[in-house]
Amino acid sequence: MKTILKWQIFGFLFTVAVGSLLHFVYEWSGESIFVAPFSAVNESTWEHMKLFFIPAFLFAALQNIFLGRRYDNFWFIKAVGILVGTLLIPLLFYTYNGAFGKSPDWLNILFFVLATVCAYLVEYLLFRKLTRLSKLSIPAFILLCAIAFVFVVFTFFPPKLPIFQDPTTNLYGINYSLE
């Protein structure tokens, strides 16, 4: 279990570091359409969820190379953790903003870090306790791929819902000129 603990700590650090960098990569790239699917294109809650999901999913793919064969329930556990982290971001953000008003940037960063801690902690606990859920690993992996696809599609074609709206511009997605 020390091995999995080390992997989970490294995954947490990787996700926080890469997710934080992805917040700026779209702007740094001159708003390149090629980096848009993987980085935040605006300040919407949806795009901040993507900042957790993309690096967590990439790390899971890397981790699978080294640990996947040891755990027949690997993708099920990773899916649970990634969903926990992804869903905690809007849950924390909207709960705070609903109760207290607009959250400061430092608190939004704290929400991201807290969601990441919870995701990797849940995974660690599941790796320690769960066995023999191999029948759920393939559907869990397919679910994660589908969610990744949805993140890409909604970057370019977001629904007109508040979670997709940039609070600084009141616009949606990458296609500002099409609005």
Side-chain angles (χ1 to χ4, degrees), residues 153-164:
V153 170
F154 285 174
T155 295
F156 297 97
F157 306 104
K160 301 298 188 256
L161 298 170
I163 197 168
F164 299 97

Side-chain angles (χ1 to χ4, degrees), residues 45 87-103 107-108 111:
T45 305
L87 296 175
L88 268 177
I89 291 170
L91 180 69
L92 294 169
F93 176 77
Y94 287 122
T95 299
Y96 180 89
N97 287 337
F100 302 107
K102 184 172 173 14
S103 54
L107 189 58
N108 293 333
F111 291 158

